[in-house]
Amino acid sequence: MSSPMDLYEQLTAQGLAVRHIKAQKGNKAEVESAVQLLLRMKEDYKLLTGQDYQAGRPPTHTEDDDAGPAEDDEDDQVNPWNVSTSSAKGVDYDKLIVRFGSCKIEQELVDRIARVTGKTPHHFLRRGIFFSHRDMHQILDAYESRKSFYLYTGRGPSSGAMHVGHLIPFLFTKWLQDVFDVPLVVQMTDDEKYLWKDLSLEDCHRYTLENARDIIACGFDPDKTFIFSDLDYMGASPSFYRNVVKVQKHVTFNQVKGIFGFTDSDCIGKISFPAIQAAPSFSNSFPQIFGDRNDVQCLIPCAIDQDPYFRMTRDVAPRIGYLKPALLHSTFFPALQGAQTKMSASDANSSIFLTDTAKQIKNKVNKHAFSGGKDTVEEHRKLGGNPDVDVSFMYLTFFLEDDEQLEKIRQDYRSGALLTGELKKCLIETLQPMIAAHQERRKLVTDETVRQFMTPRKLLFNC
Amino acid sequence: MSSPMDLYEQLTAQGLAVRHIKAQKGNKAEVESAVQLLLRMKEDYKLLTGQDYQAGRPPTHTEDDDAGPAEDDEDDQVNPWNVSTSSAKGVDYDKLIVRFGSCKIEQELVDRIARVTGKTPHHFLRRGIFFSHRDMHQILDAYESRKSFYLYTGRGPSSGAMHVGHLIPFLFTKWLQDVFDVPLVVQMTDDEKYLWKDLSLEDCHRYTLENARDIIACGFDPDKTFIFSDLDYMGASPSFYRNVVKVQKHVTFNQVKGIFGFTDSDCIGKISFPAIQAAPSFSNSFPQIFGDRNDVQCLIPCAIDQDPYFRMTRDVAPRIGYLKPALLHSTFFPALQGAQTKMSASDANSSIFLTDTAKQIKNKVNKHAFSGGKDTVEEHRKLGGNPDVDVSFMYLTFFLEDDEQLEKIRQDYRSGALLTGELKKCLIETLQPMIAAHQERRKLVTDETVRQFMTPRKLLFNC
């Protein structure tokens, strides 16, 4: 992919070319097309670097400041298809905020959410699991003056089985739906999975229906939630396709190459797909919910690896007369083996599935969960463990709701009072009932319930 | 864009790279990805050159044999967005057949169509206006053993006004529908026009509805004809979108770059659009007509500049388990100013519109139609005129149905017996009643008729 410096040099050359053609009094069409190319390259440059192009001023920090996640920040790789780092503590999220140009969720914002909703903030907010945002204050400003918004999140259905990490955005989204009382759209990108994986269209669509059951089991309000398969909804909504085409007209291959690292050997489906993930950010993609209104703002809770899609969306939005979506970004859910990668459904040993039995959960945690403890009990008692790299402790920050209990576990583990086996037991006893309860709720989700959630229809929406 | 020689050299280099990685016993994933890239490049090479890649054998005639229409054959430019030549006789169609790798429509095929249908072949066939085909014998073989097919043609609605040149594929398609008694789908690529032109979605969709009236006025059978706007039908048919995605998965950016000459600065909508023009070639894109059958073959009558889309489609079809569409290609309809370019709606002086009055037709022909006559009457009488470059004569080959009368005009013009003014009068008297009759038929097309033709529905189809 092009680096900011490559693009800077091409831009400089194109600027000279334009001046040359003008000086030679080239014909009008020639001058115009050269100028248009120059303007496009400037747009590309801005998107790639976040800076305006200035002749004679090369991009600053070309290696580190690159806005494209396909480039590495030291060892951290973060893009929609790959998350990895060499640090056992996981990705450096403060650096990621700088690189992506988003805003940190400060205590002040958490307090404001509490004030506006009158509810205790979700522990994902209290503990920095949702750690970054774009325009969240704008959403709250509008909400305070009785202008509501809608939520949009999604899932790529690459298999029938979801793991506990997949629950994070949905658990948080459900909380947001409850405390703000707003409608939600959930995009199942079965077309994306077909394009990226060696799967048939039929498989991808079947996974959509399976995964929808797990999502519904999180407890979303059927009167306020629309779950859709791209493969179905694209063919069921001219309004949705119109927005896809609008986005597709305003993004060049150069731009998606810079943002997603696509190459000339990628299929044209991948290249144009980002527009399909962008379209649900605009309220008139859902006329059954919002009529022809395009002024209902969208708030997207998602893992930070999805941000490239929405950086692109936010760049395009004003150019097609729409509002930029706001975002809330979560950290990744680490693999059992350690926070160097996120949990992946394609590696059964790295994952605790929503279908696992109590026994499987116990075995996986005991066998695979990376420990921050010492090699022997004696050493551990003397020196204490390291909760910052201990996967069991990390999982507890996600799923143990009691702040005081969590803090006591951290201190006891660090002091050596709590052994690794005891910490793992704590996690097992948290996960087992949580997953059993999920399985119970999932059993109650009938084909009819799925059909209901997935039918394009009016939702409750007060605005 | 890449030339065949560029690609040949890249392929050779990649071949060496694969051998190197294998020799170094690189890890399995590395070898696999290198091999996959090699295979893809071979596919690209085949598509670009029509030849299989052979190590040590550079592509033959790299300048002239290029299958991509974006490359020039001497002066002739023929691609979906540009048709031009330096010859006053127009594009050299025999060379184009070689370049595109299609088959000439020989007298034998014309005779066979007459035999199979029991009808006199249309004068477009008798006069070589439809001059090239792909797999037409296969269509007839199947038809003779009572296996029917369907017709697919289309129109890019770039303005509300259509000119007489736009009628050619529709007049011929209507004849095919009548003599073969088969269903027809007509794609209005309003999404394409939005992507390529400085037009709003609303304008493009409005032009679709306007142009549909002119198409319907050609006399298509409402029980056998479905006209659709991409902007509407994409959002009304999950089956259509599924086929679009299938094609999009099996075509790379390298391929569309080679075929259509797209660049990195083109928007992602243009890059993925060819899949949308491909999808109607597969019968299961229209379940309302064909159920879930994907084995009804498609025959596409179109101008030769649309062939790149269908060359791509035919390449993809067997890889996604579908039949290749067959094609019948027409020559271009020349501009009034001469056969160096085709008639263009965006240049009012080059075109006779379907909305022109009798007086406008007379004035345009007299003022603008390029003449093959001599400078003075005396010279003309003595030396004769040249019907091969005379635009009025060319138009008569399109619209004057009487073969004997046409031949007499040709001879009289060549001998000098017929003057340019008289030839033009002949054309004017052919066009005026033809266009007036079209205008009368168009007036009878109501909103309700348009709605009827454009509603996805069952059509009469015996197979």
Side-chain angles (χ1 to χ4, degrees), chain A residues 40 191 194 197 231 234-237 241-242 248-249 251 253-254 257 264-269 272 276, chain B residues 40 191 194 197 231 234-237 241-242 248-249 251 253-254 257 264-269 272 276:
Chain A
R40 271 201 189 157
D191 49 356
Y194 171 72
K197 305 260 176 186
L231 290 173
M234 181 75 105
S237 173
Y241 178 55
R242 277 168 165 75
Q248 286 182 341
K249 181 170 178 169
V251 177
F253 182 60
N254 261 327
K257 203 158 75 164
D264 288 14
S265 298
D266 276 313
C267 72
I268 58 174
S272 60
I276 295 173
Chain B
R40 270 199 191 160
D191 49 357
Y194 171 73
K197 305 260 174 185
L231 290 173
M234 181 76 106
S237 173
Y241 178 55
R242 277 167 165 76
Q248 286 182 341
K249 181 170 178 169
V251 177
F253 181 61
N254 261 326
K257 201 159 76 166
D264 288 15
S265 299
D266 276 313
C267 73
I268 59 176
S272 60
I276 296 173

Side-chain angles (χ1 to χ4, degrees), chain B residues 103-133 136-137 140 172 175-176 179-180 328-329 403:
Chain B
C103 298
K104 190 175 170 128
I105 297 184
E106 309 279 5
Q107 187 57 41
E108 183 217 337
L109 177 57
V110 177
D111 294 343
R112 188 176 176 201
I113 291 173
R115 215 162 49 238
V116 170
T117 63
K119 300 276 156 57
T120 311
H122 193 280
H123 66 272
F124 288 173
L125 274 176
R126 300 198 306 268
R127 297 179 192 162
I129 287 170
F130 274 79
F131 71 103
S132 153
H133 77 101
M136 189 60 201
H137 280 292
L140 295 173
F172 188 61
W175 181 80
L176 291 169
V179 301
F180 285 102
L328 288 168
H329 299 121
D403 289 340

Side-chain angles (χ1 to χ4, degrees), chain B residues 183-197:
Chain B
L184 160 69
V185 297
V186 181
Q187 180 180 48
M188 309 298 289
T189 56
D190 36 18
D191 49 357
E192 177 213 1
K193 289 303 158 194
Y194 171 73
L195 290 166
W196 260 265
K197 305 260 174 185

